[in-house]
Amino acid sequence: MPVANGPPGGPVEAPEWGEPDDGVAGDEPEALSGPPSELRRMQVAAEQHGARLDKALVDLVPEFSRSYLQQLLAQGLVCLNGAQALKASARVKAGDQLALEMRPTQQSQAFRPEAMDIDVVYEDPHLLVVSKPAGLVVHPAPGNWSGTLLNGLLARDEKALLVPRAGIVHRLDKDTSGLMVVARDRATMDALVALIAERKVQRQYQALAHGAWTGPAHRSVNAPIGRDPRNRLRMAVVDLAVHAGKAARTDIDLLGSVDEGCWVRCTLHTGRTHQIRVHMASLRHPLLADELYGGVPTGALKRQALHAYRLAFTHPVTGAPLEFQSPLPEDMRQGLALWGLGYNAP
């Protein structure tokens, strides 16, 4: 039987938080050769009368996610009353006959254990705090169906197989390093999602950016973020009266400045895609090596100079206050040393 495109336990909406990774799903993965397909036949029940086809399939085959079933629909692998069904929005009637040919896809096969070294800075029966290195993708997505943090978590702890997305409740960009919290059970995952949504989790980053800092040492950037209307691969500060977007706030504190650039601490109050990178670029201080937003590689820094160094929250089960800090990685330390500012780095 093919593997579902996510661990069991039902869908959980991941809140936008911090710097989500760059792997954004969008392309439909092609079916792979390999394990034989499985044909299932079923009948639409009375309580499903009038439901969308994809919703009815989720009810009838609950061990598979809606997105996986939609992929099979798009591939022509679902028959409704003997005819090929292609529209997920088609309405079904009680007594309709459905046939579903389930095949493994890249996405459905992505959720499998892969042994890797994971830097765990805290662990208890309910959650983990890990330090993600730059270059590691958090979650499988087109172009990165394996070798992700999720794959490593599945290999590290068999309990992760029972939690949606292996307990991942937020993401960091592939090339952003730093701290992440991971749930080890469904109840803790739901509680962490709620804490994040209520903005009861403190998260701070350190960044190196181009240009000497001018003006006050503390700035609060309150500027909405949406897709860049001129380049859909980027985000940008947008005018909500004209373009779609969401409110975003970042507090920025100066830690050091030289002619070549500045070292800042960024505190997130919202968590939009690429929020820190976009807000810093809007101030004409793009992050070092962040070529998507105008940065240039400098010295050892070949990735955006952004590190999630502090994470603090109340434990959702025990109620204990937790705070973690992660030292700057070596490439950012070298960048500071080139500026003569490294002596202050934690």
Side-chain angles (χ1 to χ4, degrees):
M1 179 183 294
V3 181
N5 72 333
V12 173
E13 290 300 323
E16 294 176 286
W17 182 10
E19 297 287 302
D21 67 13
D22 289 326
V24 178
D27 297 329
E28 292 291 349
E30 296 180 357
L32 298 176
S33 60
S37 62
E38 176 191 354
L39 183 65
R40 288 201 191 181
R41 299 183 186 277
M42 59 209 81
Q43 180 173 298
V44 176
E47 57 268 25
Q48 294 157 343
H49 182 82
R52 284 173 53 110
L53 175 56
D54 55 351
K55 178 62 168 61
L57 286 171
V58 170
D59 293 339
L60 292 166
V61 196
E63 65 268 37
F64 295 99
S65 76
R66 188 169 183 167
S67 62
Y68 172 71
L69 294 169
Q70 287 173 334
Q71 290 174 50
L72 299 184
L73 270 165
Q75 294 170 16
L77 301 177
V78 178
C79 287
L80 175 62
N81 296 325
Q84 188 181 77
L86 292 175
K87 291 186 177 181
S89 61
R91 299 291 172 172
V92 298
K93 297 179 294 185
D96 279 350
Q97 301 296 314
L98 291 171
L100 172 65
E101 183 181 353
M102 292 180 292
R103 295 180 183 176
T105 66
Q106 285 181 309
Q107 186 174 351
S108 69
Q109 292 185 321
F111 289 76
R112 57 189 176 197
E114 294 181 26
M116 67 177 63
D117 291 330
I118 298 176
D119 184 4
V120 176
V121 300
Y122 174 82
E123 179 176 7
D124 67 28
H126 309 287
L127 58 84
L128 304 172
V129 175
V130 303
S131 182
K132 186 190 85 69
L136 178 63
V137 172
V138 170
H139 192 278
N144 290 286
W145 290 118
S146 62
T148 71
L149 176 62
L150 180 144
N151 299 120
L153 291 170
L154 292 176
R156 185 183 185 277
D157 184 358
E158 62 182 15
K159 289 172 58 179
L161 290 165
L162 305 177
V163 188
R165 294 190 310 278
I168 293 170
V169 295
H170 67 107
R171 304 184 187 184
L172 295 175
D173 285 344
K174 173 184 177 181
D175 289 328
T176 296
S177 54
L179 297 171
M180 296 179 58
V181 61
V182 178
R184 300 188 70 195
D185 57 69
R186 181 58 185 267
T188 301
M189 184 173 199
D190 292 343
L192 285 171
V193 168
L195 285 177
I196 295 166
E198 295 165 7
R199 302 181 184 178
K200 293 182 178 179
V201 178
Q202 300 174 43
R203 61 271 195 199
Q204 291 180 307
Y205 295 68
Q206 291 188 38
L208 306 183
H210 293 285
W213 190 264
T214 58
H218 172 82
R219 290 185 184 180
S220 185
V221 181
N222 203 337
I225 290 175
R227 287 285 172 189
D228 187 335
R230 296 169 297 181
N231 181 349
R232 301 295 293 175
L233 298 178
R234 296 169 20 126
M235 309 302 288
V237 170
V238 296
D239 180 350
L240 295 181
V242 180
H243 301 290
K246 294 183 179 180
R249 177 186 164 194
T250 308
D251 286 348
I252 304 170
D253 292 284
L254 180 65
L255 299 177
S257 180
V258 294
D259 290 342
E260 295 86 351
C262 52
W263 173 27
V264 296
R265 177 177 63 239
C266 299
T267 302
L268 290 174
H269 295 277
T270 53
R272 309 309 178 204
T273 300
H274 299 174
Q275 179 172 321
I276 292 171
R277 299 163 63 186
V278 171
H279 277 171
M280 287 295 292
S282 75
L283 297 177
R284 299 186 179 180
H285 291 291
L287 303 190
L288 297 188
D290 189 0
E291 296 181 87
L292 186 61
Y293 294 104
V296 177
T298 303
L301 279 162
K302 308 303 180 186
R303 51 96 178 190
Q304 67 251 13
L306 185 62
H307 179 67
Y309 87 98
R310 182 175 177 270
L311 182 63
F313 57 95
T314 298
H315 195 294
V317 178
T318 68
L322 299 177
E323 179 177 349
F324 307 94
Q325 293 196 25
S326 172
L328 284 178
E330 183 58 29
D331 57 353
M332 290 183 66
R333 286 181 174 273
Q334 289 184 27
L336 285 174
L338 287 174
W339 292 348
L341 296 175
Y343 57 88
N344 286 326

